[in-house]
Structures are given as structure tokens and as C-alpha cells.
Amino acid sequence: MLKQPCWRAALGEEFDKPYMVKLMNFLAAEIAAGRDIFPSFDRWFAALDETPLTRVSVAILGQDPYPTPGHAHGLSFSVQPGVGIPRSLRNIYRELEDDLGISPASHGHLLPWARQGCLLLNDTMTVESGQAGSHQKKGWSEFTDRVIEELNEQGEHIVFMLWGAHAQKKGAMVDRERHLVLESAHPSPLSARRGFFGCKHFSKANAYLRANGKAEINWALT
């Protein structure tokens, strides 16, 4: 299921473990019952497919995919071109403008970030249409824990952006002597004013990458 050889080498054995077999059986049963699952099957692992393990320099962790039809496509916080920009992403753009002076993009497609080495990973990688959080505690968190563990062990000087309490739980497995962990409130309209606005994570990330001889992320989306 994983297209990138480096991710297959690191995580391939996970697909034979009981938790993942149970998760895949659950998803197959949901689809067979006629429930709409987002993103589509071919995009479940899009975050890993678009950003190879060996290229990850920044990881932005989301909670679960957008449950609105047409929104989720496998990259956290991102939507396809032509889809309205969700409110959380609008707040991300607002912080980006305040931090680096980058004007908000007219779209919500974050693929250019992913292709520069910014892993856009949701803790839970699928959701039922209209049912936010419906696939939490089904096994995805165990899998994404393993993703974070591999980044921690194999990567050097990775920036982890952990927005909100849910994402911050993942930070417990990150070696903060080897990597930079940036934490703030979630960018959702309910919490952005409680610490996300003004966090300056984008400039801090690039300063850290630059200081450690790594390429900065070009956060501008054209």
C-alpha cells in the first residue's frame, strides 16, 4: 500500500500486525456497507506517498481528515484545488502572513509543501462522511505512532509542528535533543486565539533548518 520504498522498508511489517489487520477489515466492512469513507482508498497513505521518509524535514500533524465530501485527499489541513478553503487552513494562512508576510493563497492545496519535505500527516487517516472523529481508536494512531518513531530514529533535525493537545501527545516519542518540537493551540476557529496566532512556527522552522544546514521550506503557495 505504500508507494515509497523507504516507507515500505520502515513500515511494511506493520500491515501484518493484528491491529492493522483489524483496521483494514473494519474499513473494508464499512465500504461494503455503503458508507462513504474519506479520503478515497487510493489516498489513504498519500502523506507518506508524497513525502519520502528520507526527505522529511518538517512534520505537521493533524487530527483526522475533513469529513466533508470533496475535502479530504490524504494531506493534513489540505484540500484539492477548487475546493473552498476550510476555516482552520484560513487561520494557518493568517499566521503565515503575520509571521513571514506571505499573502494567503487563493486555494487550499498544500501539495507543494509536501513535495519539499513537509510531511502533512493526520493521526487518524480516514473518516466517515459527516462524522468527524469516527475512525479514531480503530488502529490508525498505532500506525502513525510508528511513523513518528521512524522519523525520530532515522531523521536528523526534523521540525515537528504540534498544534493542539491531540497532536502534542505524539511529541512524547520525539528526542528533543535531535529535533525541534514546536507546540501551540490548534488553528481551528475554536482555539486559534489561545496560542496559535503569534506562534511564528513557520519562521522558527526555517531558522532551525537553516542553522542545521538544511533547505528551508518555501511556504508561499502560488
Side-chain angles (χ1 to χ4, degrees):
M1 289 186 180
L2 301 174
K3 295 178 182 179
Q4 296 289 349
C6 49
W7 283 120
R8 284 202 305 271
L11 301 172
E13 293 181 358
E14 296 301 302
F15 290 88
D16 295 323
K17 293 183 178 180
Y19 83 87
M20 184 58 89
V21 172
K22 184 177 179 180
L23 171 60
M24 291 297 120
N25 287 340
F26 163 76
L27 291 169
E30 292 291 283
I31 293 170
R35 296 184 177 88
D36 291 326
I37 305 301
F38 303 141
S40 58
F41 170 76
D42 61 314
R43 300 291 301 178
W44 288 356
F45 298 95
L48 304 179
D49 295 338
E50 299 291 357
T51 311
L53 171 59
T54 52
R55 290 196 59 200
V56 175
S57 58
V58 175
I60 298 179
L61 303 185
Q63 188 162 325
D64 57 355
Y66 297 120
T68 306
H71 281 199
H73 69 111
L75 305 181
S76 63
F77 297 104
S78 180
V79 293
Q80 295 275 28
V83 175
I85 301 174
R87 290 178 295 173
S88 290
L89 184 52
R90 288 188 182 278
N91 286 339
I92 291 171
Y93 285 173
R94 173 178 164 179
E95 174 58 24
L96 184 58
E97 183 173 27
D98 290 345
D99 186 9
L100 291 174
I102 295 173
S103 298
S106 60
H107 61 85
H109 197 216
L110 304 183
L111 183 61
W113 293 0
R115 290 188 170 169
Q116 292 178 75
C118 182
L119 180 67
L120 298 168
L121 181 71
N122 280 314
D123 177 51
T124 298
M125 298 171 74
T126 58
V127 70
E128 182 181 346
S129 177
Q131 303 293 323
S134 53
H135 290 180
Q136 293 177 14
K137 300 182 180 179
K138 299 295 184 181
W140 279 123
S141 288
E142 288 89 332
F143 180 76
T144 51
D145 278 354
R146 287 286 298 116
V147 173
I148 301 303
E149 287 172 358
E150 290 298 327
L151 291 175
N152 180 61
E153 293 170 9
Q154 296 197 40
E156 289 291 342
H157 306 302
I158 293 175
V159 180
F160 291 85
M161 294 187 184
L162 308 180
W163 298 337
H166 196 91
Q168 288 163 18
K169 291 178 181 178
K170 295 285 193 188
M173 62 190 75
V174 176
D175 181 350
R176 301 185 185 216
E177 296 295 321
R178 293 177 56 196
H179 307 289
L180 177 64
V181 176
L182 300 174
E183 298 179 329
S184 78
H186 193 275
S188 76
L190 297 176
S191 58
R193 295 183 184 279
R194 297 201 297 267
F196 178 75
F197 291 141
C199 69
K200 299 190 180 301
H201 281 185
F202 300 101
S203 61
K204 290 176 181 178
N206 276 354
Y208 179 81
L209 295 174
R210 185 169 60 250
N212 286 282
K214 302 181 75 171
E216 299 177 25
I217 300 294
N218 177 7
W219 299 107
L221 296 162
T222 57

